[in-house]
Amino acid sequence: MKNLQKKKKEREEKRAEEAVKWKEQQAARNKKLQEQRRADQAAAKNKKANIMQMFGGKVQAGASSAGPPRMMVQNANSIKAKLLDWCKRITSEYPNVKIENFSRSWNNGMAFCAVIHHFYPGAFNFDELDPKERRRNFDLAFTTAESLANIMPLLDTDDMIMMKDTPDWKCVFTYVQSLYRNLNGKPVSPV
């Protein structure tokens, strides 16, 4: 009987030890998760600050010099409007290009070609382009942007052709953002 009691006591002690060990492991996991969460939040704040700065976000008054500047939050519409204004400004002198949105205004490739041509006027003769030759325009814009500005072709010519007169504005917006990030502020190239 004493053996049974002794074994029972040993089992209870072992369970208690295992419970303590399990709680310690859980506490360590929770601590690691909290640290990772904080690191992820800090990275997200830095990324957001960089994006806001890229699109003209304003630094909040009284922001400390330590760490990234804190930006006033802009809504998506104001960022879209600023990017659209940039596109309008650099393509205003181009025939057959009237940018009003991120969908129909880009449906024939002329707007993409105008943006690229603005920064690389020697790359191709814009006056020879025809709005009816959509495939040629898209191919020319995407390949020129990739070869001269190292801008990844986030859009596909076949997809743009398939979407006909109303390309997905989110796809166009994303590609135009990459154009802006890579070209804005760069001098016009003779090539």
Side-chain angles (χ1 to χ4, degrees):
M1 198 121 17
K2 284 187 178 184
N3 262 347
L4 288 175
Q5 287 177 344
K6 187 177 178 182
K7 286 184 180 182
K8 184 178 179 183
K9 187 175 181 181
E10 286 174 357
R11 279 194 306 256
E12 288 173 358
E13 287 173 357
K14 188 175 180 180
R15 282 189 202 135
E17 287 174 12
E18 288 174 353
V20 168
K21 187 176 179 181
W22 183 82
K23 285 181 183 179
E24 289 171 353
Q25 289 173 341
Q26 287 299 103
R29 280 190 204 119
N30 288 340
K31 183 177 180 182
K32 190 174 181 179
L33 285 172
Q34 286 175 344
E35 289 171 358
Q36 183 62 45
R37 203 172 295 132
R38 283 189 203 108
D40 291 346
Q41 287 172 344
K45 283 182 184 179
N46 287 340
K47 186 175 181 180
K48 182 177 180 182
N50 290 337
I51 290 170
M52 295 301 289
Q53 201 167 26
M54 192 182 315
F55 289 103
K58 298 177 184 172
V59 178
Q60 286 182 345
S64 69
S65 59
R70 297 189 68 204
M71 300 294 173
M72 289 176 38
V73 176
Q74 292 183 345
N75 65 30
N77 288 334
S78 65
I79 292 171
K80 277 175 40 181
K82 286 182 181 186
L83 191 56
L84 202 59
D85 287 342
W86 176 77
C87 294
K88 287 178 183 179
R89 191 171 60 253
I90 65 172
T91 62
S92 63
E93 302 297 318
Y94 286 88
N96 298 314
V97 176
K98 185 175 181 186
I99 297 177
E100 297 174 341
N101 56 44
F102 287 107
S103 184
R104 286 186 175 278
S105 299
W106 304 83
N107 68 2
N108 61 13
M110 296 295 287
F112 290 115
C113 287
V115 170
I116 300 301
H117 189 265
H118 174 81
F119 292 97
Y120 298 97
F124 55 88
N125 186 348
F126 186 87
D127 294 328
E128 292 178 357
L129 299 179
D130 182 354
K132 294 176 185 165
E133 294 180 1
R134 298 173 66 221
R135 179 173 297 282
R136 177 177 179 244
N137 298 340
F138 289 127
D139 284 339
L140 179 64
F142 301 156
T143 57
T144 304
E146 184 176 21
S147 64
L148 297 180
N150 203 25
I151 298 170
M152 294 302 297
L154 301 175
L155 294 176
D156 181 64
T157 299
D158 290 333
D159 291 341
M160 293 299 290
I161 297 294
M162 185 183 70
M163 289 187 258
K164 299 188 180 177
D165 289 341
T166 313
D168 182 351
W169 75 267
K170 293 175 205 150
C171 296
V172 173
F173 179 69
T174 301
Y175 185 68
V176 172
Q177 281 180 335
S178 73
L179 292 173
Y180 177 87
R181 278 193 298 273
N182 286 282
L183 300 174
N184 185 42
K186 289 195 177 186
V188 172
S189 172
V191 174

